[in-house]
Amino acid sequence: RGQDDPDVTTVFPAEIDMLPALDRGALGIAIFDAWITPICVLDEHGVIVAANQMWRDLATARGGDLRRMAEGANYLAVAEAFAAQPGADDYAAEFCDHLRAVLAGELQRFDQEYPCDAPHERRWFQARMRAFQFDGRLHVGVVHIDITALKRAELRAAAQVEIMEKLAGSASLNEVLGTIVSRVERENPALLCSIQLLNDDGSRLVHAAGPSL
C-alpha cells in the first residue's frame, strides 16, 4: 500500500463488521434462478438435478411437459428419444453422442449450433455443455443460448455479398430479383415472396420474380 493510499478502516469504519454475512449457498441459488439464459445441471447419469427458472419457462412455453424437462427427469433419455424420432435431424444425434461423451468423462466440453424453427420464423440456438466436479462427483452444466439475431445478421450479410456479386457480374435482372426473393424466403420459411417491377406509369409489368408462387 502506498503512503497516500487511504486506510481501509478510515474509508469503511467499524460498522462494516455489522453487515450481515451472506449465505453463499442461498445467494448462488438466487443468481442461478435469476439468470436470463436457460441452464440445467445433470448428474453423471444425465438426470437433471437443478434447473433455473428460465429453463422451466422455456420448457413450458414450447408446450413441453415440465416433468420431462425439470429436476428428476433424465435429460439424456429425453434427448435420445427425440433423436430417435422419424425425421429428426443430424443435430439431435450429434448432441446425444457428445452429451454421452461428456457424461462419461471423455470430453470436458462441447458446443453446437442448431436450428429450432418456430411455426412462423427460423430460429437458431447454441447448446453448450461443460463438465465439472461437485461433491466428488461429475456433473454437467447445459445451456441453450438463442443466437437467432446473430444468424439472421450472418444470412443478410451473405445475401448482400451474393447480390452484389451478381450485380457486378453478368447476371440478368431477373436472376438478381430471384436471388433476393429466395434469400428472403430462406430467412422466413413461412413466407412466399415475390417482386414485381412495373413501368413508369404502372400500367405494365416489366420484371417479376416469385419462384415459390
Side-chain angles (χ1 to χ4, degrees), residues 21-40:
L22 290 174
D23 183 336
R24 292 192 176 185
L27 178 62
I29 292 173
I31 293 173
F32 175 73
D33 223 23
W35 204 250
I36 62 173
T37 301
I39 308 171
C40 78

Side-chain angles (χ1 to χ4, degrees), residues 65-109:
D65 184 351
L66 195 58
R67 294 170 299 179
R68 291 167 51 85
M69 293 299 294
E71 289 85 348
N74 191 305
Y75 183 70
L76 174 61
V78 172
E80 289 176 332
F82 178 81
Q85 290 180 342
D89 55 36
D90 293 338
Y91 294 99
E94 181 187 21
F95 180 85
C96 290
D97 288 343
H98 286 86
L99 179 56
R100 283 190 290 266
V102 174
L103 290 170
E106 299 169 2
L107 289 176
Q108 282 293 111
R109 57 189 293 169

Side-chain angles (χ1 to χ4, degrees), residues 36-38 54 58 62 91 95 111-118 121-128 143-151:
I36 62 173
T37 301
M54 183 59 73
L58 185 62
R62 294 180 180 176
Y91 294 99
F95 180 85
D111 297 343
Q112 180 197 53
E113 293 184 4
Y114 64 94
C116 183
D117 295 343
E121 67 172 343
R122 296 196 68 187
R123 300 186 308 181
W124 293 264
F125 286 80
Q126 183 182 61
R128 296 181 180 179
V143 303
H144 291 269
I145 303 169
D146 189 338
I147 58 170
T148 300
L150 174 62
K151 298 300 290 186

Side-chain angles (χ1 to χ4, degrees), residues 17 27 44 60 65 70 73 79 83 90 94 109 123-125 135 143 165 169 176 179 186 194 199 202-204:
D17 295 331
L27 178 62
E44 67 268 32
T60 55
D65 184 351
D90 293 338
E94 181 187 21
R109 57 189 293 169
R123 300 186 308 181
W124 293 264
F125 286 80
D135 279 348
V143 303
E165 288 177 346
V176 174
T179 298
R186 190 180 307 177
S194 69
N199 62 357
S203 61
R204 184 168 58 88

Side-chain angles (χ1 to χ4, degrees), residues 172-175 177 194-199 204-210:
S172 66
L173 179 57
N174 283 338
E175 288 181 89
L177 296 178
S194 69
I195 297 177
Q196 298 178 347
L197 302 182
L198 306 178
N199 62 357
R204 184 168 58 88
L205 181 65
V206 179
H207 292 282

